[in-house]
């Protein structure tokens, strides 16, 4: 009799036949950067996540590197006074993101540093671009700003720039500018299929853009959650324009998209387990409704769906757990 339970009988054979494996090398740790020194702030809607000033962040990065996590993704928390309609602070070479990149590369040079290329932390209205009088985000004018921001990150020493804004054509423009300025080896991780999702709420609290958005949404540039074929077109364009890696975001509700993208293109494909997914799981765990085992199960799900790596606020927790062999 064909008994599929036979191999499940013992731990040794369950391990031998496991089809997928999660390792620390699959993880990218998103971190929030504060101005000042010795600053550490909790994020209420993301229990366990802290915003850190650069000095504390550098120390944290040493721990992250020692755990075998390949890279961090930086998200600056911009003071309200530095926000404007045209988001000029985004390409300030002395900006928070730029200074954080330099500090990390100086102390932990082998840790990959990924920067967020998008204007929302720097606009007074919280949108990811420059708006017209009606509040519509202008595509090509925004691209000019994104190019300046990406070049500024590259000058600071960023290994990877990650445009998360969903303007059409920005990958091509950024790639061209990087090449023209001698940054031939700066990688682009494109947020290619980024959906207009309600799962980003806690992140907007963390970077302080929720208040600026005033309940507004990003539906005129981020994708409609109803769509799947459109994600394939978005990814195809970004690869053609010069992306080295592509991303699907959010994560768990969009694993079907991760699988389709991986099958269709076979390029390095990442998924972002976003703030709302983190908050949901942490809330249930804190209430005793779920155990922490859901964390590792959720991360393995990304591997099974075909992701090469996962951006997750659980990266440090997961790497520690993998190291201790649990
Ligand atoms: N450029 C904005 C950006 N970059 C990363 C996230 C969300 C990440 C998360 O929720 O964890 C967002 C939010 C948004 O689009 O409003
Ligand atoms: Mg696109």
């Amino acid at each position: 009799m064909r008994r599929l339970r036979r191999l499940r009988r013992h731990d040794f054979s369950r391990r031998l036949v496991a089809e997928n494996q999660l390792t620390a090398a699959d993880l990218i740790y998103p971190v929030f950067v504060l101005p000042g020194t010795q600053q550490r702030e909790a994020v209420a809607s993301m229990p366990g996540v802290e915003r850190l000033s650069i000095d504390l962040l550098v120390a944290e990065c040493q721990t992250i590197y020692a755990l075998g996590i390949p890279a961090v993704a930086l998200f600056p928390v911009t003071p309200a006074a530095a926000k404007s309609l045209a988001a000029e602070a985004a390409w300030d070479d002395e900006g928070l993101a730029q200074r954080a990149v330099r500090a990390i590369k100086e102390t932990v040079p082998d840790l990959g540093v990924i920067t967020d290329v998008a204007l929302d932390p720097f606009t007074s209205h919280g949108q990811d671009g420059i708006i017209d009088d009606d509040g519509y985000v202008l595509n090509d004018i925004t691209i000019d700003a994104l190019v300046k921001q990406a070049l500024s990150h590259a000058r600071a020493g960023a290994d990877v720039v990650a445009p998360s804004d969903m303007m059409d054509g920005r990958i091509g423009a950024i790639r061209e500018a990087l090449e023209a300025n001698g940054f031939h080896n700066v990688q682009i991780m494109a947020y290619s299929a980024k959906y207009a999702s309600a799962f980003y709420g806690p992140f907007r609290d963390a970077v302080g853009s929720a208040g600026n958005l005033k309940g507004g949404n990003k539906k005129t540039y981020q994708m409609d959650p109803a769509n799947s074929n459109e994600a394939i077109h978005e990814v195809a364009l970004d690869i053609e324009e010069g992306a080295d890696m592509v991303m699907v975001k959010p994560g768990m509700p969009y694993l079907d998209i991760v699988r389709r993208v991986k099958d269709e293109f076979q390029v390095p494909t990442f998924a972002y387990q976003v703030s709302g997914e983190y908050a949901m799981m942490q809330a249930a765990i804190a209430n005793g409704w779920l155990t922490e085992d859901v964390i590792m199960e959720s991360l393995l799900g990304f591997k099974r769906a075909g992701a090469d790596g996962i951006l997750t606020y659980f990266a440090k927790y997961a790497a520690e757990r993998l190291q201790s062999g649990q």
Side-chain angles (χ1 to χ4, degrees):
M1 184 168 159
R2 186 86 199 276
R3 294 182 190 272
L4 289 172
R5 290 184 56 194
R6 210 175 282 131
L7 292 176
R8 296 179 201 141
R9 173 67 182 84
H10 301 289
D11 181 62
F12 86 86
S13 52
R14 287 195 294 269
R15 286 197 292 130
L16 268 177
V17 303
E19 296 175 45
N20 291 283
Q21 203 185 357
L22 179 74
T23 73
D26 298 316
L27 304 168
I28 294 172
Y29 195 32
V31 293
F32 300 108
V33 196
L34 284 179
T37 52
Q38 295 295 308
Q39 300 298 308
R40 180 187 294 279
E41 283 176 13
V43 181
S45 51
M46 300 179 74
V49 169
E50 288 180 326
R51 298 175 280 213
L52 301 174
S53 54
I54 292 175
D55 51 330
L56 299 181
L57 177 62
V58 167
E60 178 76 347
C61 284
Q62 286 172 312
T63 308
I64 295 304
Y65 179 70
L67 282 167
I69 295 170
V72 291
L74 298 185
F75 295 99
V77 181
T78 315
K83 301 191 187 199
S84 63
L85 271 175
E88 289 93 344
W91 55 93
D92 177 358
D93 283 343
E94 293 305 317
L96 202 47
Q98 288 82 350
R99 285 188 287 122
V101 172
R102 287 197 293 267
I104 296 168
K105 293 311 295 184
E106 205 166 286
T107 316
V108 205
D110 296 330
L111 180 68
V113 175
I114 303 171
T115 56
D116 185 50
V117 176
L119 303 184
D120 54 303
F122 307 98
T123 53
S124 37
H125 44 69
Q127 295 289 350
D128 293 32
I130 314 290
I131 55 171
D132 67 12
D133 293 342
D134 300 324
Y136 184 73
V137 173
L138 297 164
N139 197 85
D140 299 10
I141 290 173
T142 296
I143 288 182
D144 294 341
L146 295 171
V147 165
K148 288 187 234 174
Q149 184 183 26
L151 285 174
S152 174
H153 292 171
R155 278 193 295 276
D159 299 294
V160 185
V161 293
S164 68
D165 59 292
M166 289 299 278
M167 294 305 109
D168 289 323
R170 91 284 203 213
I171 299 299
I174 290 169
R175 173 58 76 208
E176 197 181 316
L178 289 172
E179 289 285 337
N181 286 275
F183 297 114
H184 307 292
N185 283 327
V186 169
Q187 304 168 18
I188 299 179
M189 175 182 274
Y191 286 69
S192 300
K194 176 169 178 177
Y195 288 84
S197 172
F199 284 99
Y200 306 148
F203 174 95
R204 293 176 189 171
D205 295 338
V207 298
S209 65
N212 301 75
L213 260 183
K214 295 193 177 75
N217 64 62
K218 302 188 176 183
K219 292 182 186 177
T220 70
Y221 45 104
Q222 298 179 348
M223 283 180 58
D224 184 341
N227 297 351
S228 171
N229 293 330
E230 189 187 2
I232 303 303
H233 298 307
E234 284 284 5
V235 170
L237 281 170
D238 285 357
I239 294 170
E240 195 178 293
E241 290 176 31
D244 302 289
M245 301 172 266
V246 299
M247 195 204 299
V248 174
K249 177 186 177 187
M252 283 164 65
Y254 296 85
L255 290 182
D256 58 321
I257 308 297
V258 175
R259 170 50 66 196
R260 278 195 72 184
V261 167
K262 190 65 194 182
D263 286 350
E264 185 82 23
F265 300 103
Q266 290 98 41
V267 298
T269 303
F270 292 79
Y272 199 143
Q273 184 177 54
V274 300
S275 57
E277 303 175 58
Y278 175 87
M280 276 192 316
M281 281 192 276
Q282 287 294 56
I285 292 166
N287 271 297
W289 296 337
L290 293 173
T291 68
E292 286 190 345
D293 288 340
V294 293
I295 298 169
M296 302 311 268
E297 183 179 334
S298 72
L299 296 174
L300 193 56
F302 286 97
K303 293 299 298 288
R304 203 183 54 245
D308 295 286
I310 309 128
L311 291 94
T312 174
Y313 303 96
F314 287 121
K316 188 178 173 191
Y317 168 90
E320 281 168 350
R321 203 160 145 172
L322 289 164
Q323 198 170 59
S324 71
Q326 294 166 14

